[in-house]
């Protein structure tokens, strides 16, 4: 158990070192906004189009429409699902910043495959509300006769947290790679 704790500590130190750079902070912020918006709005593209191009709203009101979602998720109605979406988005942003660092310094072949992309898949499946975000899952779950709203909310929440776990593991693996290999610091 001590060895695992030491590996995690070394990996996280390497990740923190990478994330202190202003370029990587900008990458993380951009990816966070992109991924969280993708998860939240993936099944509401018509609404996005309407608000952005057709709604009789000022530019400030349009921006407010999209940014108020974060306030609603954190302040007005924080749930395990909404916290999972935001946590996943933050971890995915960290993952992408570290992936870019590894590619720049070690090459593409050193990147562990699957866990980051798999995490995004699960987070998109679990994103949104029961009426919209889980509608991808509803037909599959209904096939097995278990399509109640409460059950779908529960499944959605677990998909979000599976995504968090997969991306966390990806960050750990990338940090381990960076911690064990001496590289030129170009990022």
């Amino acid at each position: 158990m001590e060895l695992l704790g030491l590996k995690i500590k070394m990996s996280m130190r390497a990740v923190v070192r990478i994330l202190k750079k202003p370029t990587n902070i900008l990458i993380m912020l951009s990816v966070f906004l992109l991924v969280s918006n993708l998860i939240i709005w993936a099944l509401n593209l018509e609404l996005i189009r309407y608000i952005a191009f057709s709604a009789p709203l000022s530019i400030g009101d349009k921006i407010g429409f999209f940014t108020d979602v974060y306030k609603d998720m954190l302040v007005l109605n924080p749930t395990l699902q909404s916290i999972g979406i935001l946590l996943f988005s933050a971890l995915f942003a960290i993952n992408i910043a570290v992936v870019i660092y590894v590619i720049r310094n070690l090459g593409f072949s050193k990147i562990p495959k699957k866990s980051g992309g798999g995490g995004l898949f699960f987070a998109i499946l679990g994103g949104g509300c029961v009426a919209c975000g889980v509608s991808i899952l509803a037909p599959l779950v209904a096939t097995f006769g278990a399509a109640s709203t409460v059950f779908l909310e529960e499944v959605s929440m677990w998909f979000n947290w599976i995504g968090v776990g997969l991306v966390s593991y990806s960050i750990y693996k990338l940090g381990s790679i960076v911690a064990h290999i001496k590289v030129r610091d170009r990022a």
Side-chain angles (χ1 to χ4, degrees):
M1 193 55 106
E2 279 185 48
L3 181 58
L4 177 61
L6 182 60
K7 285 181 176 182
I8 292 171
K9 190 174 183 179
M10 287 176 56
S11 175
M12 292 307 106
R13 279 187 183 157
V15 169
V16 168
R17 186 183 78 233
I18 292 168
L19 299 179
K20 287 181 178 179
K21 304 208 177 291
T23 305
N24 292 333
I25 291 170
L26 184 61
I27 289 169
M28 286 185 325
L29 181 60
S30 300
V31 171
F32 172 80
L33 291 172
L34 179 72
V35 170
S36 62
N37 281 313
L38 175 67
I39 294 169
I40 293 166
W41 297 105
L43 298 172
N44 291 306
L45 297 178
E46 280 301 310
L47 178 61
I48 292 171
R49 187 192 61 73
Y50 173 75
I51 295 295
F53 301 111
S54 302
L57 300 171
S58 69
I59 291 177
D61 288 341
K62 290 179 181 189
I63 292 171
F65 176 81
F66 293 108
T67 57
D68 283 349
V69 169
Y70 295 102
K71 179 184 76 174
D72 293 345
M73 290 174 74
L74 290 172
V75 179
L76 299 178
N77 190 23
T79 63
L80 279 177
Q81 183 181 12
S82 62
I83 293 167
I85 289 170
L86 295 175
L87 180 60
F88 173 83
S89 299
L91 290 172
F92 195 82
I94 292 168
N95 191 51
I96 293 299
V98 178
V99 163
I100 290 169
Y101 179 88
V102 170
I103 289 171
R104 284 182 182 166
N105 291 283
L106 302 172
F108 188 76
S109 64
K110 294 291 185 182
I111 296 173
K113 311 303 185 267
K114 300 179 187 166
S115 56
L120 181 60
F121 172 75
F122 278 106
I124 289 173
L125 280 180
C129 63
V130 172
C132 53
V134 187
S135 63
I136 294 172
L137 297 175
L140 298 172
V141 176
T143 303
F144 300 106
S148 75
T149 302
V150 174
F151 179 74
L152 288 173
E153 281 184 35
E154 197 70 24
V155 169
S156 173
M157 179 194 61
W158 282 107
F159 274 134
N160 280 324
W161 289 97
I162 289 170
V164 166
L166 288 172
V167 171
S168 297
Y169 178 73
S170 180
I171 293 169
Y172 161 73
K173 291 297 285 181
L174 287 164
S176 296
I177 290 166
V178 172
H180 288 98
I181 297 176
K182 193 75 169 164
V183 295
R184 290 184 306 160
D185 203 4
R186 289 191 276 166

